[in-house]
Amino acid sequence: MKLAQPTTARAGAPRFLAVLLSTGTALAGCTPEIAIIGRDIGATTTSPLPASSSSTSSAGGDDPGILDPGAGGGFPQGAAGAGGDEGCKPQLVGVVRDFKAFDSEGGHPDFEYFAGDVMRGLVEPDLGPDDKPVYAHEGGTDHTTGPEAFYQWYHDDPTVNVPIPYVVPLKASERGLGHFVGEQFFPIDDQGWGNEGREHNYGFTYELHMTFEYRPGDVFWFAGDDDLWVFINRRLAIDMGGLHSATLAAVDLDASAEELGIEVGKEYPLDFFHAERRGFGSMFSISTSLTFTNCDPILR
C-alpha cells in the first residue's frame, strides 16, 4: 500500500478536492496540499465534505449555529456517528492533551519550535502494544526531539500535558457520509494550560479510537494540519507526520484491503492520532462512509 505522498495542488485535480480545499484555505491561514492513498476516489464525485464559507465555532462544525460541539471537557450522550446499529449511536470521544510551548516554563520541546513540511516515516507501520504510535527513530528528526518527548504526545504526563475528553460530533450529509468540518479547530481554548497569551490554545494532540464494519466502497478522508496518523486494523493507513500546511489525505479501503488485512463484513479498529504543534492556523476536517460500531467511547 502506498502511503500518503503530498503534492502541490494542481489543475485537473478531482472536483471533490477542489471544493474541499476552497472551503478552508483562508480560515486556516495556509495553502493546502493534496495527498491521496490508493485509487483516485474522487474523479467523478463531488466533495465529501460540505462546502462552508465560514464557521463561528472555534472547535469546528458545518453551519454557524447548527453544529457547535463546544470546547470539549465532557462526555456528551448520543454523539453522532457515521452509522452504527439501531441500538446505539457511536460514541466518538477521544482525548485532547494540552501542551505548553517549548519556551514556556514546563514547555514541551516539540511544540511551537519546529517548522517544515510533511515527513513520512516518523512512526512505525504497526500500532504499538499499548495502542499508541511507536516512534521510528533513535533520536531527533527535522520535526521531533526524540522518542522520550514523542512518547508524551499520547500518554498522560502531568509534568507536561493536561488530558481533556473531546467528542467529534459527526453529522450525516445528504449523501449519507459522516462529516465534521473544523476550519478553525481549537477544541480547548482557555482550558488546560490556557492560551499562553494568544487568541487560541494552539499546542495539543488528539487521539481517537473507534471500531467499524468494513463495507464495499468504504472511504475515509481527512484534511488538516499538523501531524496525522491513522491506523486501520492496527496498520498504518495515513502517514502525514511533521509540520505542514493543511493537507488532504484519503484512504480507499477497497484498494488497500489486502495491505490492511481487512475483509468485507468484518469489524476492525480505527485508531486516529493528530497533533497541532504550530500557531497561525488549525484545520481539522473528516468525512467518511465508515459505519462505526463502538456504542461506548474507547479511551486509552
Side-chain angles (χ1 to χ4, degrees), residues 87 146 149 197 211 221 248 250:
T211 58
W221 289 272
L248 173 64

Side-chain angles (χ1 to χ4, degrees), residues 259-291:
E259 291 84 357
L260 294 173
I262 58 177
E263 298 179 16
V264 170
K266 295 186 177 181
E267 187 175 84
Y268 298 97
L270 186 151
D271 303 278
F272 181 101
F273 301 89
H274 172 256
E276 172 56 49
R277 295 196 284 139
R278 191 80 181 189
F280 309 113
S282 178
M283 182 179 179
F284 180 101
S285 298
I286 292 173
S287 186
T288 184
S289 64
L290 296 179
T291 300

Side-chain angles (χ1 to χ4, degrees), residues 11 21 31 36 70 72 79 86 142 147 162 180 199 217 247 259 279 294:
L21 299 182
T31 301
I36 297 295
E86 296 180 357
D142 290 341
V162 178
F180 173 78
E199 181 181 3
T247 303
E259 291 84 357
N294 53 295

Side-chain angles (χ1 to χ4, degrees), residues 161-172:
N161 64 47
V162 178
I164 302 169
Y166 179 77
V167 61
V168 173
L170 290 181
K171 291 290 186 179

Side-chain angles (χ1 to χ4, degrees), residues 176-189:
L177 296 171
H179 67 259
F180 173 78
V181 179
E183 292 173 338
Q184 295 197 64
F185 182 70
F186 300 106
I188 55 168
D189 276 359

Side-chain angles (χ1 to χ4, degrees), residues 34-161:
I34 299 174
I36 297 295
I37 298 175
R39 292 179 292 144
D40 184 353
I41 57 180
T44 59
T45 59
T46 56
S47 171
L49 293 172
S52 173
S53 59
S54 63
S55 175
T56 58
S57 169
S58 64
D62 50 3
D63 293 313
I66 296 177
L67 174 58
D68 185 356
F75 292 84
Q77 298 299 312
D85 60 44
E86 296 180 357
C88 75
K89 292 183 179 180
Q91 299 291 293
L92 306 187
V93 183
V95 177
V96 176
R97 290 180 177 88
D98 186 24
F99 293 83
K100 295 180 182 179
F102 79 97
D103 56 355
S104 299
E105 182 178 355
H108 193 282
D110 288 339
F111 288 79
E112 297 297 337
Y113 181 78
F114 294 96
D117 204 347
V118 173
M119 178 178 177
R120 290 173 286 115
L122 273 175
V123 302
E124 297 287 353
D126 294 311
L127 206 60
D130 59 353
D131 298 320
K132 312 280 185 171
V134 177
Y135 190 73
H137 302 267
E138 293 183 0
T141 70
D142 290 341
H143 294 263
T144 53
T145 303
E148 293 81 9
F150 181 82
Y151 181 87
Q152 295 170 326
W153 288 23
Y154 302 109
H155 292 84
D156 292 351
D157 185 337
T159 66
V160 293
N161 64 47

Side-chain angles (χ1 to χ4, degrees), residues 165-251:
Y166 179 77
V167 61
V168 173
L170 290 181
K171 291 290 186 179
S173 71
E174 292 181 357
R175 296 175 57 212
L177 296 171
H179 67 259
F180 173 78
V181 179
E183 292 173 338
Q184 295 197 64
F185 182 70
F186 300 106
I188 55 168
D189 276 359
D190 302 313
Q191 298 184 69
W193 300 118
N195 296 0
E196 298 188 82
R198 308 178 72 177
E199 181 181 3
H200 297 291
N201 188 338
Y202 283 97
F204 58 87
T205 64
Y206 183 48
E207 72 172 281
L208 181 64
H209 304 271
M210 300 157 280
T211 58
F212 70 95
E213 180 182 340
Y214 171 36
R215 302 172 301 175
D218 271 343
V219 290
F220 181 91
W221 289 272
F222 175 84
D225 62 314
D226 291 302
D227 310 81
L228 176 74
W229 298 283
V230 175
F231 293 80
I232 294 176
N233 194 26
R234 305 184 63 81
R235 302 179 186 182
L236 188 60
I238 294 179
D239 185 5
M240 203 163 72
L243 280 293
H244 56 82
S245 57
T247 303
L248 173 64
V251 182

